[in-house]
Amino acid sequence: MMITVTQNAANHIQNFLTKRGKGEGIRLGVKTSGCSGMAYTLEFVDEILPEDLVFEGHGVKVFVDPKSHVYLDGTELDYTKEGLQEGFKFANPNVKDECGCGESFHV
């Protein structure tokens, strides 16, 4: 039962938090969306909730609510740059299918 963060992702998260000037880390979650059913959500965390699961890697904290954790368990969060495209990338072993545009997934 774990969420991991690569060094690249941790560097970008830390840079975002530094520029922002505050924050405990980021919250990773899922929401109902897209053509395959679910989409990832990322947001800054200023206040830790009692039910939050906390994962640390390379000096940053990732917070996950228990309902989202069911779908995210084992996920690796990375930050990649491919040509002109850059952003967070999710390696989620629970994903059974993704939509063609890559915006949503199904478990």
Side-chain angles (χ1 to χ4, degrees), residues 9-23:
N11 291 345
H12 281 275
I13 292 166
Q14 191 58 53
N15 287 340
F16 288 137
L17 291 170
T18 300
K19 288 179 186 175
R20 190 168 180 259
K22 64 178 181 175

